[in-house]
Amino acid sequence: MRPTESMPTAGRLIAALLLGGLAYYASSIVIAIWPVEYNFGRFREVCGLTGVLMGWRVIGRRLGRGYGWYRCGADRARGHVVLVVFAIVFQ
């Protein structure tokens, strides 16, 4: 097992915070364009927490395996797809 898979690193923290912030912001946009009658409850918070978890577990686990444009883009896309799937499941 590689060290980045078992211990916290700054890269994992940054990935978690950025993906959590993106999920919170995107869910705020969804709430803004949806009709006013709907009660979303803690939709933003759940999406933000899901983003933090997926950033830490999915994107953070893939750090240090290469920094080519394809590798970084593929890892980032994987993290976003997993975030959307789990956000839908958790809601």
Side-chain angles (χ1 to χ4, degrees):
M1 181 179 336
R2 297 177 39 191
T4 57
E5 294 176 1
S6 63
M7 62 182 280
T9 62
R12 288 182 108 163
L13 178 65
I14 296 297
L17 292 177
L18 289 178
L19 196 59
L22 177 69
Y24 189 87
Y25 179 71
S27 60
S28 296
I29 291 174
V30 168
I31 289 173
I33 64 173
W34 215 268
V36 180
E37 303 87 46
Y38 292 102
N39 180 13
F40 282 91
R42 300 212 177 263
F43 180 70
R44 283 184 290 227
E45 291 82 3
V46 170
C47 287
L49 182 62
T50 305
V52 168
L53 292 174
M54 294 303 115
W56 185 270
R57 300 284 298 168
V58 177
I59 295 177
R61 182 175 287 162
R62 307 288 298 172
L63 294 175
R65 296 186 183 186
Y67 298 104
W69 66 272
Y70 176 76
R71 170 67 78 182
C72 293
D75 293 342
R76 187 176 60 221
R78 175 181 293 138
H80 288 103
V81 168
V82 170
L83 168 65
V84 168
V85 168
F86 276 95
I88 290 172
V89 168
F90 289 155
Q91 294 299 330

